[in-house]
Amino acid sequence: MLSFEPLDTGLEVVDAVEGRRYVLDSSESLSPAPADPDRFRFPVDSAVEVETSEFRLVEPVEGFVRDETGDSVLQVSPGTRTDLPSAAYSVELNAPVKLYLRVDGALTVDATADLMIFRFDPPVLVGARSYHHHPAATVTTTDDPRDVFAAVSTLSSALKTTSPERSYPTLRGHPPLVERGDELRIPDELTAPETGVRIELPPTLRAATVAAPLSYYLGAELVPGDDPRLVVDGDAHSLAGPPGFERNVERTLKRAFLLDCLVRTEGYYQVDLYEREQVASDVDLDFASLYDASLAERLDATLAVPFETLAPHVPRWPLVAHVDPTPEAVAVLPFVAYDLGVVRTADARRASPDEVQSSVLDAYLGQRRGGAGDESEDDSPFVALGDADAVEQVWFGDGVPLDATKGIPAAFHNDLRRDVDPASIDITVVCNECEMTAEQAVAETVYGSREQLPFDVTLRRDCSTDELRAILASSADLLHYVGHVDDDGFRCRDGTLDAETVDSTGVHAFLLNACRSYEQGVALVEAGAVGGVVTFSDVVDSGAVRVGRTLARLLNLGFPLRSALQLAAGESIVGGHYLVVGDGSVDVVQVEDGIPTLCDVETAGSEYEVTPVTYPSREAAVGTMAYPLVGSNEQHFLAPGELATFRLSEPELREYLSAHGSPVRKDGELVWDDPP
């Protein structure tokens, strides 16, 4: 639900479902009146008309000015100062809520790194579109693989286009849900696009599970066949050769996606894309012709390019999902496909005690090393996953994964049912351990430090079991728990509380900074939470404090759980004892700069080498473009992943850091501008 809230000096646009907001300052009070969303060329969910001649954006975002046909007239970035003649203009703003301004008349744009100003003749139309996507329907399937094929083939009905622009996350809708039943039932309103592409596979659950994300993105029907192959307008491309079926599906998805990202620069967003510049010299492709080609024609062109040529330029993939191909697992496929996750079915094994210790050390040292694989024990509760070049690995199966998220299907359904209070961001900090008050003090100071967001931070100390039960039952965007957990549950001043005895929780995300909090975290997800950070073993208090305070800072900046934990784990030797349970993409607040970004700084004599590293988020999924305002850069980059490295002087570095709210890792160590 979108709303336009008048302020004393401007207008605040609020997305209640996603918990996002953005302010358009006008230096005067406004009275928004409802307007017809169809007056905008691009789709908006809601619109208003206001009488004002100026909007000031104190949190500048990337913007584009378009003419009445939708063609780009101007890209707005720091340093833009332009007077445009009288005409009909659409100003597109990539804010935490997607915004459009419709202006009829002359338009003046004046932008710096700290302020963006638009001046125009009143009135102005303001349109907004939520980044939230909700499944349109539910498909029911039996356990018969042929019925599962039919169910998976409906996932692409959520695509809003089959043009190259589908590589933008806002044009990939959430696939319909899939549930098990006694017969195949596909709602009439679900219509997959006609693309001329199909995927022929042996009729097995494994084949359907692995191919689901590719089917979704390509709009390809799954049909039974003798050998796995991709058929494009009658031309067959084998998916069975080296390096194997699963890797071939992965490579096909990444190739098709990357080419769409390169070709779309011929359309509405004609920007200087770094990856296109790098690839263009290595391939013989006519990007302009491919933009107007059909999906099948573009796919044929993609498959003619060796994967090795394109691989260095593919953005860092957001997700590798390890899924056991069982009838129960079919329900998670829409969520994995929505993230364009790569699916693997057999790349895991039980981990030995030596491997557990090795994984913990690797998390601290920031590397992965081979463990004592031959010493694996059948009764080990831990699972070792294969290497994957992805932001997140998630394990949907029995056991505790090392260096990965424990996926719990209930978490994703909990997120769909979440009821958000747009009035405030509610954070509860509970400290039930006097020796960890340092973490409590940091959490109390950090949460709510972003003045432009409506935080409501509650601090509780030394809770009883009844008090903690009430906290768990109440609503909160984040619960940060500091204390102890034993086999019986959370340790309180009058006993212990087992989260399995809590029927339901209103907690959205949580950080349980206590020894062996894994089981309690899983219970909270099963009771209604979406995701959280837990530990699978004992952690030393001093190390737990370092990890906890770093997580608090990163979550407060808008980093999702999994990305925040990846960075925080290196702060202490105990960091490898932590993992995410539920949905690792959960965040607590919106990101100030649109994309969660780490500023990686390496000292180079009297200068510094600066590499922005981007991470995926709800509104900045794979395919988003990043435009780092650093040095003389004029190029866009695909996110997530490392962008280019820029060499800056000390004054230039200070200027860059002062204009961004990003965390900084200097010479391998996270540093902060406030005392720990």
Side-chain angles (χ1 to χ4, degrees), residues 204-394:
T204 66
L205 290 179
R206 173 178 178 256
T209 300
V210 172
L214 182 63
S215 171
Y216 164 67
Y217 187 72
L218 295 184
E221 180 184 8
L222 298 190
V223 297
D226 294 332
D227 299 305
R229 61 180 191 167
L230 180 67
V231 181
V232 184
D233 276 347
D235 295 329
H237 304 266
S238 176
L239 296 171
F245 169 58
E246 294 188 4
R247 293 301 194 273
N248 281 326
V249 169
E250 173 184 348
R251 290 182 170 193
T252 302
L253 174 60
K254 291 181 176 180
R255 277 195 286 184
F257 181 81
L258 177 63
L259 185 66
D260 278 346
C261 290
L262 307 185
V263 170
R264 74 190 186 192
T265 58
E266 295 289 336
Y268 289 114
Y269 299 89
Q270 297 184 9
V271 300
D272 183 1
L273 184 66
Y274 172 81
E275 287 80 5
R276 171 169 169 167
E277 177 187 88
Q278 298 298 305
V279 171
S281 60
D282 295 331
V283 299
D284 183 20
L285 294 175
D286 185 341
F287 292 109
S289 296
L290 287 174
Y291 180 79
D292 295 320
S294 68
L295 183 153
E297 290 169 331
R298 290 197 312 276
L299 186 55
D300 263 334
T302 300
L303 296 174
V305 180
F307 178 74
E308 291 74 16
T309 301
L310 300 177
H313 311 291
V314 174
R316 192 177 185 207
W317 215 245
L319 181 70
V320 169
H322 299 261
V323 182
D324 193 10
T326 63
E328 294 80 8
V330 172
V332 306
L333 296 182
F335 301 100
V336 174
Y338 183 46
D339 286 337
L340 295 188
V342 168
V343 176
R344 296 181 182 172
T345 62
D347 200 10
R349 54 184 170 74
R350 293 292 169 175
S352 69
D354 285 348
E355 284 180 297
V356 175
Q357 294 179 11
S358 177
S359 175
V360 169
L361 183 59
D362 289 346
Y364 178 60
L365 297 177
Q367 61 187 11
R368 293 184 65 91
R369 301 176 299 144
D374 294 336
E375 299 175 14
S376 179
E377 299 179 358
D378 292 338
D379 59 352
S380 169
F382 298 102
V383 178
L385 307 179
D387 289 339
D389 184 17
V391 176
E392 178 182 13
Q393 291 198 78
V394 58

Side-chain angles (χ1 to χ4, degrees), residues 10 13 28 31 92 154 191 217 238 244 286 300 317 324 362 441 444 458 466 482 506 530 591 595 599 644:
V13 186
E28 60 183 328
S31 299
E92 176 183 348
T154 69
T191 303
Y217 187 72
S238 176
D286 185 341
D300 263 334
W317 215 245
D324 193 10
D362 289 346
E444 186 178 7
T458 301
D466 286 344
V482 182
V530 179
V591 182
I595 303 176
C599 181

Side-chain angles (χ1 to χ4, degrees), residues 409-646:
F412 302 92
H413 292 277
N414 293 342
D415 193 33
L416 295 177
R417 293 190 291 265
R418 182 190 178 201
D419 185 15
V420 179
D421 179 6
S424 64
I425 300 168
D426 297 318
I427 296 177
T428 301
V429 180
V430 175
C431 184
N432 268 11
E433 172 50 60
C434 61
E435 295 180 3
M436 298 178 71
T437 54
E439 178 179 343
Q440 166 211 307
V442 170
E444 186 178 7
T445 302
V446 169
Y447 292 130
S449 60
R450 294 171 60 185
E451 295 180 357
Q452 71 276 23
L453 297 178
F455 283 94
D456 184 0
V457 182
T458 301
L459 177 63
R460 302 290 299 273
R461 295 185 179 89
D462 197 21
C463 291
S464 67
T465 54
D466 286 344
E467 290 169 341
L468 184 56
R469 182 182 296 276
I471 290 171
L472 295 179
S474 62
S475 296
D477 294 286
L478 174 68
L479 168 66
H480 185 145
Y481 177 86
V482 182
H484 289 292
V485 169
D486 57 31
D487 292 341
D488 296 323
F490 294 95
R491 193 180 302 171
C492 302
R493 69 170 185 261
D494 60 345
T496 56
L497 172 65
D498 188 349
E500 292 187 1
T501 67
V502 177
D503 294 332
S504 65
T505 180
V507 171
H508 177 59
F510 54 84
L511 165 55
L512 305 184
N513 204 4
C515 296
R516 301 182 182 273
S517 59
Y518 173 82
E519 296 293 345
Q520 298 301 303
V522 170
L524 287 180
V525 173
E526 297 290 356
V530 179
V533 177
V534 298
T535 64
F536 61 73
S537 64
D538 293 337
V539 289
V540 179
D541 285 353
S542 58
V545 169
R546 286 195 293 274
V547 173
R549 69 190 181 196
T550 302
L551 280 169
R553 284 165 161 155
L554 292 168
L555 294 176
N556 187 65
L557 291 173
F559 276 70
L561 291 178
R562 182 57 189 168
S563 300
L565 180 57
Q566 284 180 349
L567 294 173
E571 292 296 278
S572 169
I573 191 66
V574 305
H577 293 266
Y578 289 76
L579 76 156
V580 174
V581 294
D583 182 357
S585 70
V586 173
D587 57 33
V588 180
V589 299
Q590 66 196 47
V591 182
E592 182 176 316
D593 294 330
I595 303 176
T597 304
L598 169 71
C599 181
D600 215 340
V601 179
E602 293 289 337
T603 304
S606 61
E607 295 185 312
Y608 299 90
E609 292 183 343
V610 178
T611 306
V613 183
T614 59
Y615 294 84
S617 67
R618 297 287 176 103
E619 58 264 45
V622 63
T624 299
M625 289 188 297
Y627 185 64
L629 303 177
V630 52
S632 58
N633 175 61
E634 295 183 351
Q635 288 188 307
H636 286 70
F637 298 81
L638 294 177
E642 290 187 3
L643 311 186
T645 297
F646 304 90

